[in-house]
Amino acid sequence: MTADPSALADQLLHIAVAAARAAVVLIHDERPATFEVSAKSTATDHVTEMDRASEELIRSIISTARPDDEVVGEEGGGDPGRAEVTWWVDPIDGTTNYVYDHPGYAVSIAAAIDGITVAGVVADPTHGRTYTATRGGGAACDGRPLRLAAAPPLEQALVATGFGYDAARRAEQGAVVAGLLPRVRDIRRMGAAALDLCSVGAGRVDAYYEAGLSMWDLAAGALVADEAGARVGALDGGPVRPGSVLAAHPDLFGPLRDLLQDLGADRT
Ligand code: LIP
């Protein structure tokens, strides 16, 4: 590994930002009037030709700059254990919002060294925002530093969440929300994990939780939230990992985790 990890993180972030910006031009600025949409795990779990084209473009930019790294993307897969530097790519996070041309989709790119995410970018084309972070270097939105304010009490917390695509799982996740709703200020369901995590970092929601996600959904947004001062972990309180995430102000994390565990959120 390089003698100066922060210099490498900055280099990786520079590549990630360039790739994200190119992908935003492709999927948003040059969005075609029509594009192919097909189903994945269920009839409502979509992938579009724009997801694939975005990932292909991002892969090309990363591989040109760093040919020995491994890119793991939602559409093209990859081997996260093969190389020292692994890139986690969600070419369009919030594909349902993208299909409907509804605000709330993002390009999410993160770089990890030996399994630790060190740089991340989440580009939000419909709001014209770019979130960035490097480990130990802070988080920013359009270059403006992000830092959490004081936490509200649990009953005044605005909590974001999301749901899977399988009907039976959604029923379980809906039951958790039914139990949560009277215990907090309100919930928000925005449709893209990367933006939900950045919203915690930017103070647009007080917390976010979800089960069933992949590292490409989580890696970049989790670094932004962490570097903005949030505690980010799994729903059981362990380290963030595929399948389970909770992000909140450190003072709010414990009470919300305990409530969500009582409601069975980590079993959905
Ligand atoms: C989405 C996630 C979101 C979840 C959606 C969907 P995709 O990812 O970012 O948090 O609630 O159901 O899984 O599939 O749009 O890349």
Side-chain angles (χ1 to χ4, degrees):
M1 173 150 57
T2 177
D4 184 352
S6 66
L8 177 55
D10 289 343
Q11 179 201 46
L12 297 173
L13 180 64
H14 180 77
I15 296 166
V17 168
R21 284 179 173 157
V24 162
V25 169
L26 175 74
I27 68 171
H28 177 266
D29 302 358
E30 299 173 355
R31 179 191 176 109
T34 61
F35 47 82
E36 176 201 316
V37 181
S38 50
K40 293 201 298 189
S41 64
T42 70
T44 57
D45 179 6
H46 287 157
V47 59
T48 75
E49 69 178 285
M50 303 308 290
D51 291 85
R52 295 190 184 99
S54 174
E55 184 167 321
E56 185 178 331
L57 174 60
I58 293 166
R59 283 177 180 273
S60 170
I61 292 169
I62 291 172
S63 300
T64 299
R66 294 185 55 89
D68 296 332
D69 294 358
E70 178 72 12
V71 179
V72 181
E74 177 169 15
E75 311 312 339
D79 175 6
R82 184 189 65 79
E84 179 190 10
V85 177
T86 298
W87 296 81
W88 296 103
V89 175
D90 194 338
I92 301 178
D93 187 29
T95 297
T96 298
N97 287 341
Y98 185 76
V99 168
Y100 280 81
D101 198 10
H102 187 286
Y105 58 87
V107 176
S108 179
I109 303 172
I113 299 175
D114 294 330
I116 306 295
T117 305
V118 296
V121 58
V122 176
D124 173 359
T126 54
H127 297 100
R129 295 173 182 142
T130 302
Y131 299 90
T132 56
T134 55
R135 187 163 297 280
C141 179
D142 299 331
R144 291 184 300 275
L146 297 177
R147 201 72 203 154
L148 289 195
L154 179 62
E155 63 273 12
Q156 295 177 27
L158 186 62
V159 180
T161 190
F163 312 113
Y165 291 108
D166 172 74
R169 183 173 211 179
R170 291 168 70 80
E172 294 172 347
Q173 293 172 330
V176 171
V177 172
L180 178 69
L181 203 49
R183 306 286 298 275
V184 296
R185 173 194 291 264
D186 204 345
I187 69 153
R188 291 290 184 270
R189 197 293 194 247
M190 296 180 279
L195 290 183
D196 289 324
L197 287 161
C198 291
S199 294
V200 173
R204 294 195 182 91
V205 292
D206 296 306
Y208 163 65
Y209 78 93
E210 189 163 352
L213 296 169
S214 301
M215 277 309 287
W216 47 71
D217 295 304
L218 298 174
L223 184 62
V224 169
D226 185 326
E227 287 294 319
R231 179 178 169 186
V232 185
L235 279 165
D236 63 8
V240 67
R241 61 179 185 274
S244 172
V245 64
L246 172 60
H249 188 289
D251 295 343
L252 186 59
F253 188 98
L256 182 55
R257 177 206 52 212
D258 294 346
L259 173 56
L260 288 169
Q261 284 191 319
D262 289 347
L263 294 170
D266 56 340
R267 299 189 295 275
T268 62

